[in-house]
């Protein structure tokens, strides 16, 4: 946690917050902070700045806060991800949030096991928890939007062309394709497949919607590694 | 597991292997392969190719193998990593192996907790296990070299200058530094700090040894994410 994320409900005055829950535990056990010390803070969806610990007790901490900085810019990207297996999903949500992805579409694919859609980690509060961890890691305050698309075909046929419009549409896909471009200064729509990859029918449909396959080399990367590698390459 | 990694001991004839252990379980339960099917195989430290399942029983599988391909090229890099916490260490070993890092130095730092050096995950067989998982993921056969350096100063003063010689020396470090360069075609020595970063004294010593700080933006990334992002940016 490199940023103490505050919510509107934590404010007891215009410049004063009281925190409890896991954030208090973190202040006590990881920061091992003491009254008088300063921490980096941010308001969820708002500014960032410095909080000074005016009171630190077992059950709560009180801070005065000054939020004068803007959060870091997001990447100009919509990331489409074949729904990863639950354990990987949690890490990918954190990774995407920490790297500044503003919009993430979790999509079905032939190689996504049906049971993955039943995981409790897809419940809104569980998704939010992982996104918050990513924001706290990277020092950002703005939650990415996460969209679940359980049906591949209607999404790719009916809604994807609209999303791709005005962006560079790419599919990260191992194979005999052009190398992933570098240092783009245009918005991107990037699709990353499941373990085992998209099937040819899906590549065909994604291509028809305006996306072009690109590759990062002959190595097959885990989804989480592919996400950070592709984002770092593109921007 | 995108590659069935074989060892010399698995060979019962020049072109024939018998596998048991977790690789057999994987063939049975994840590939759900049947006799007659083909799998991608590689010989640890050697070539890659195709294996045909000639016999699949509960206790063992027999394959005929043809190893005609070379493994993928490694990245021209030595990666110095402040020893991560044990759980992260395992994932970072996999990530580094899967991305093609040929040499990894795990280094002490002021912000590395002493207890991290006691983890059983640093024992050679445990390190090897994670590296093998990374190779199987990426389809590579060549184990990276992993070097443990428990004392920062003697390593950085006495051995690092030799490692850096003839390479581009870089420190991935958030701050007011030049942006991480892209698409290098020269060998690199890259140092990545612990959670919380290198302390100024360490930056000074690394710089004196020939490394220059570069940054990936204002976001603070987890070590594992930073590794894949920096490697994808550099090469």
């Amino acid at each position: 946690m490199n940023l103490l994320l505050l919510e509107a409900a934590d404010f007891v005055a215009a410049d004063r917050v009281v925190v409890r829950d896991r954030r208090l535990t973190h202040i006590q056990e990881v920061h091992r902070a003491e009254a008088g010390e300063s921490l980096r803070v941010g308001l969820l969806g708002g500014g960032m700045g410095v909080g000074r610990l005016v009171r630190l007790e077992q059950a709560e901490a009180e801070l005065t806060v000054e939020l004068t900085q803007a959060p870091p810019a997001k990447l100009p990207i919509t990331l489409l991800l074949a729904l990863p297996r639950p354990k990987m999903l949690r890490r990918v949500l954190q990774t995407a949030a920490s790297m500044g992805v503003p919009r993430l579409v979790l999509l079905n694919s032939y190689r996504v096991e049906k049971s993955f859609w039943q995981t409790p980690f897809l419940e809104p509060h569980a998704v939010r928890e992982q996104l918050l961890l990513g924001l706290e890691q990277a020092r950002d305050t703005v939650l990415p939007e996460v969209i679940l698309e359980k049906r591949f075909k209607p999404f790719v046929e009916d809604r994807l062309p609209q999303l791709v419009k005005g962006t560079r549409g790419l599919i990260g896909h191992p194979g005999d394709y052009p190398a992933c471009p570098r240092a783009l200064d245009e918005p991107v729509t990037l699709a990353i497949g499941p373990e085992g990859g998209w099937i040819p029918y899906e590549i065909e449909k994604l291509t028809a919607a305006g996306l072009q396959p690109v590759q990062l080399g002959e190595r097959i990367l885990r989804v989480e590694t592919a996400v950070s590698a592709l984002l770092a390459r593109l921007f």
Side-chain angles (χ1 to χ4, degrees), chain A residues 22-37:
Chain A
R22 70 177 175 88
R23 296 170 299 170
L24 175 65
T25 315
H26 194 90
I27 293 173
Q28 290 166 333
E29 295 178 5
V30 182
H31 285 301
R32 293 179 195 130
E34 293 176 22
E37 284 186 42

PDB file of all heavy atoms in Angstrom, chain A residues 22-37:
ATOM      1  N   ARG A  22      -8.958  -2.453   7.393  1.00  0.00           N
ATOM      2  CA  ARG A  22      -7.623  -2.956   7.043  1.00  0.00           C
ATOM      3  C   ARG A  22      -6.613  -1.818   6.852  1.00  0.00           C
ATOM      4  O   ARG A  22      -5.404  -2.014   6.946  1.00  0.00           O
ATOM      5  CB  ARG A  22      -7.681  -3.852   5.803  1.00  0.00           C
ATOM      6  CG  ARG A  22      -7.974  -3.097   4.548  1.00  0.00           C
ATOM      7  CD  ARG A  22      -7.959  -3.949   3.293  1.00  0.00           C
ATOM      8  NE  ARG A  22      -8.381  -3.113   2.189  1.00  0.00           N
ATOM      9  CZ  ARG A  22      -7.564  -2.368   1.452  1.00  0.00           C
ATOM     10  NH1 ARG A  22      -6.275  -2.369   1.670  1.00  0.00           N
ATOM     11  NH2 ARG A  22      -8.040  -1.609   0.481  1.00  0.00           N
ATOM     12  N   ARG A  23      -7.108  -0.636   6.551  1.00  0.00           N
ATOM     13  CA  ARG A  23      -6.179   0.478   6.347  1.00  0.00           C
ATOM     14  C   ARG A  23      -5.518   0.874   7.663  1.00  0.00           C
ATOM     15  O   ARG A  23      -4.339   1.205   7.718  1.00  0.00           O
ATOM     16  CB  ARG A  23      -6.921   1.657   5.724  1.00  0.00           C
ATOM     17  CG  ARG A  23      -7.455   1.322   4.327  1.00  0.00           C
ATOM     18  CD  ARG A  23      -8.386   2.401   3.830  1.00  0.00           C
ATOM     19  NE  ARG A  23      -9.548   2.535   4.714  1.00  0.00           N
ATOM     20  CZ  ARG A  23     -10.430   3.522   4.648  1.00  0.00           C
ATOM     21  NH1 ARG A  23     -10.274   4.490   3.758  1.00  0.00           N
ATOM     22  NH2 ARG A  23     -11.464   3.565   5.468  1.00  0.00           N
ATOM     23  N   LEU A  24      -6.307   0.821   8.746  1.00  0.00           N
ATOM     24  CA  LEU A  24      -5.729   1.093  10.071  1.00  0.00           C
ATOM     25  C   LEU A  24      -4.664   0.043  10.400  1.00  0.00           C
ATOM     26  O   LEU A  24      -3.550   0.382  10.842  1.00  0.00           O
ATOM     27  CB  LEU A  24      -6.836   1.070  11.137  1.00  0.00           C
ATOM     28  CG  LEU A  24      -6.330   1.225  12.571  1.00  0.00           C
ATOM     29  CD1 LEU A  24      -5.710   2.597  12.789  1.00  0.00           C
ATOM     30  CD2 LEU A  24      -7.463   0.986  13.571  1.00  0.00           C
ATOM     31  N   THR A  25      -5.001  -1.226  10.172  1.00  0.00           N
ATOM     32  CA  THR A  25      -4.043  -2.301  10.440  1.00  0.00           C
ATOM     33  C   THR A  25      -2.757  -2.074   9.667  1.00  0.00           C
ATOM     34  O   THR A  25      -1.659  -2.276  10.175  1.00  0.00           O
ATOM     35  CB  THR A  25      -4.669  -3.659  10.027  1.00  0.00           C
ATOM     36  OG1 THR A  25      -6.008  -3.700  10.521  1.00  0.00           O
ATOM     37  CG2 THR A  25      -3.878  -4.820  10.582  1.00  0.00           C
ATOM     38  N   HIS A  26      -2.908  -1.643   8.427  1.00  0.00           N
ATOM     39  CA  HIS A  26      -1.722  -1.419   7.592  1.00  0.00           C
ATOM     40  C   HIS A  26      -0.858  -0.287   8.174  1.00  0.00           C
ATOM     41  O   HIS A  26       0.361  -0.402   8.247  1.00  0.00           O
ATOM     42  CB  HIS A  26      -2.152  -1.093   6.165  1.00  0.00           C
ATOM     43  CG  HIS A  26      -1.028  -1.183   5.184  1.00  0.00           C
ATOM     44  ND1 HIS A  26      -0.711  -2.339   4.522  1.00  0.00           N
ATOM     45  CD2 HIS A  26      -0.121  -0.264   4.779  1.00  0.00           C
ATOM     46  CE1 HIS A  26       0.331  -2.130   3.738  1.00  0.00           C
ATOM     47  NE2 HIS A  26       0.716  -0.870   3.877  1.00  0.00           N
ATOM     48  N   ILE A  27      -1.504   0.788   8.577  1.00  0.00           N
ATOM     49  CA  ILE A  27      -0.765   1.917   9.187  1.00  0.00           C
ATOM     50  C   ILE A  27      -0.011   1.438  10.420  1.00  0.00           C
ATOM     51  O   ILE A  27       1.152   1.788  10.638  1.00  0.00           O
ATOM     52  CB  ILE A  27      -1.744   3.056   9.564  1.00  0.00           C
ATOM     53  CG1 ILE A  27      -2.345   3.688   8.309  1.00  0.00           C
ATOM     54  CG2 ILE A  27      -1.040   4.109  10.414  1.00  0.00           C
ATOM     55  CD1 ILE A  27      -3.443   4.712   8.599  1.00  0.00           C
ATOM     56  N   GLN A  28      -0.681   0.592  11.207  1.00  0.00           N
ATOM     57  CA  GLN A  28      -0.081   0.140  12.462  1.00  0.00           C
ATOM     58  C   GLN A  28       1.023  -0.882  12.236  1.00  0.00           C
ATOM     59  O   GLN A  28       2.085  -0.814  12.854  1.00  0.00           O
ATOM     60  CB  GLN A  28      -1.165  -0.499  13.356  1.00  0.00           C
ATOM     61  CG  GLN A  28      -2.164   0.517  13.899  1.00  0.00           C
ATOM     62  CD  GLN A  28      -3.407  -0.150  14.481  1.00  0.00           C
ATOM     63  OE1 GLN A  28      -3.772  -1.257  14.059  1.00  0.00           O
ATOM     64  NE2 GLN A  28      -4.059   0.517  15.425  1.00  0.00           N
ATOM     65  N   GLU A  29       0.770  -1.840  11.319  1.00  0.00           N
ATOM     66  CA  GLU A  29       1.671  -2.996  11.254  1.00  0.00           C
ATOM     67  C   GLU A  29       2.694  -2.916  10.129  1.00  0.00           C
ATOM     68  O   GLU A  29       3.786  -3.465  10.259  1.00  0.00           O
ATOM     69  CB  GLU A  29       0.845  -4.284  11.121  1.00  0.00           C
ATOM     70  CG  GLU A  29       0.020  -4.506  12.377  1.00  0.00           C
ATOM     71  CD  GLU A  29      -0.862  -5.741  12.282  1.00  0.00           C
ATOM     72  OE1 GLU A  29      -0.766  -6.486  11.284  1.00  0.00           O
ATOM     73  OE2 GLU A  29      -1.669  -5.935  13.210  1.00  0.00           O
ATOM     74  N   VAL A  30       2.350  -2.277   9.044  1.00  0.00           N
ATOM     75  CA  VAL A  30       3.312  -2.207   7.945  1.00  0.00           C
ATOM     76  C   VAL A  30       4.060  -0.872   7.975  1.00  0.00           C
ATOM     77  O   VAL A  30       5.281  -0.840   8.042  1.00  0.00           O
ATOM     78  CB  VAL A  30       2.636  -2.460   6.578  1.00  0.00           C
ATOM     79  CG1 VAL A  30       3.668  -2.427   5.458  1.00  0.00           C
ATOM     80  CG2 VAL A  30       1.922  -3.799   6.594  1.00  0.00           C
ATOM     81  N   HIS A  31       3.307   0.225   7.948  1.00  0.00           N
ATOM     82  CA  HIS A  31       3.990   1.527   8.065  1.00  0.00           C
ATOM     83  C   HIS A  31       4.637   1.679   9.442  1.00  0.00           C
ATOM     84  O   HIS A  31       5.615   2.379   9.588  1.00  0.00           O
ATOM     85  CB  HIS A  31       2.995   2.681   7.874  1.00  0.00           C
ATOM     86  CG  HIS A  31       2.582   2.888   6.466  1.00  0.00           C
ATOM     87  ND1 HIS A  31       3.481   3.171   5.465  1.00  0.00           N
ATOM     88  CD2 HIS A  31       1.364   2.857   5.862  1.00  0.00           C
ATOM     89  CE1 HIS A  31       2.830   3.313   4.318  1.00  0.00           C
ATOM     90  NE2 HIS A  31       1.546   3.108   4.534  1.00  0.00           N
ATOM     91  N   ARG A  32       4.053   1.048  10.456  1.00  0.00           N
ATOM     92  CA  ARG A  32       4.469   1.271  11.851  1.00  0.00           C
ATOM     93  C   ARG A  32       4.601   2.772  12.119  1.00  0.00           C
ATOM     94  O   ARG A  32       5.579   3.240  12.692  1.00  0.00           O
ATOM     95  CB  ARG A  32       5.794   0.550  12.159  1.00  0.00           C
ATOM     96  CG  ARG A  32       5.647  -0.976  12.113  1.00  0.00           C
ATOM     97  CD  ARG A  32       6.959  -1.685  12.395  1.00  0.00           C
ATOM     98  NE  ARG A  32       6.864  -3.087  11.990  1.00  0.00           N
ATOM     99  CZ  ARG A  32       7.764  -3.715  11.223  1.00  0.00           C
ATOM    100  NH1 ARG A  32       8.833  -3.081  10.807  1.00  0.00           N
ATOM    101  NH2 ARG A  32       7.597  -4.982  10.920  1.00  0.00           N
ATOM    102  N   ALA A  33       3.599   3.506  11.634  1.00  0.00           N
ATOM    103  CA  ALA A  33       3.622   4.964  11.756  1.00  0.00           C
ATOM    104  C   ALA A  33       3.271   5.389  13.173  1.00  0.00           C
ATOM    105  O   ALA A  33       2.682   4.616  13.938  1.00  0.00           O
ATOM    106  CB  ALA A  33       2.643   5.571  10.762  1.00  0.00           C
ATOM    107  N   GLU A  34       3.655   6.588  13.509  1.00  0.00           N
ATOM    108  CA  GLU A  34       3.301   7.163  14.806  1.00  0.00           C
ATOM    109  C   GLU A  34       2.641   8.516  14.586  1.00  0.00           C
ATOM    110  O   GLU A  34       2.801   9.131  13.536  1.00  0.00           O
ATOM    111  CB  GLU A  34       4.564   7.330  15.661  1.00  0.00           C
ATOM    112  CG  GLU A  34       5.164   5.999  16.055  1.00  0.00           C
ATOM    113  CD  GLU A  34       6.469   6.135  16.825  1.00  0.00           C
ATOM    114  OE1 GLU A  34       6.706   7.209  17.410  1.00  0.00           O
ATOM    115  OE2 GLU A  34       7.241   5.162  16.828  1.00  0.00           O
ATOM    116  N   ALA A  35       1.903   8.965  15.596  1.00  0.00           N
ATOM    117  CA  ALA A  35       1.240  10.263  15.509  1.00  0.00           C
ATOM    118  C   ALA A  35       2.282  11.317  15.147  1.00  0.00           C
ATOM    119  O   ALA A  35       3.405  11.299  15.645  1.00  0.00           O
ATOM    120  CB  ALA A  35       0.550  10.599  16.831  1.00  0.00           C
ATOM    121  N   GLY A  36       1.886  12.216  14.252  1.00  0.00           N
ATOM    122  CA  GLY A  36       2.804  13.264  13.808  1.00  0.00           C
ATOM    123  C   GLY A  36       3.417  12.949  12.453  1.00  0.00           C
ATOM    124  O   GLY A  36       3.843  13.841  11.729  1.00  0.00           O
ATOM    125  N   GLU A  37       3.438  11.659  12.100  1.00  0.00           N
ATOM    126  CA  GLU A  37       4.034  11.298  10.805  1.00  0.00           C
ATOM    127  C   GLU A  37       3.079  11.572   9.647  1.00  0.00           C
ATOM    128  O   GLU A  37       1.869  11.670   9.837  1.00  0.00           O
ATOM    129  CB  GLU A  37       4.407   9.804  10.807  1.00  0.00           C
ATOM    130  CG  GLU A  37       5.662   9.520  11.614  1.00  0.00           C
ATOM    131  CD  GLU A  37       6.084   8.060  11.480  1.00  0.00           C
ATOM    132  OE1 GLU A  37       6.035   7.527  10.359  1.00  0.00           O
ATOM    133  OE2 GLU A  37       6.456   7.468  12.508  1.00  0.00           O
TER     134      GLU A  37
END
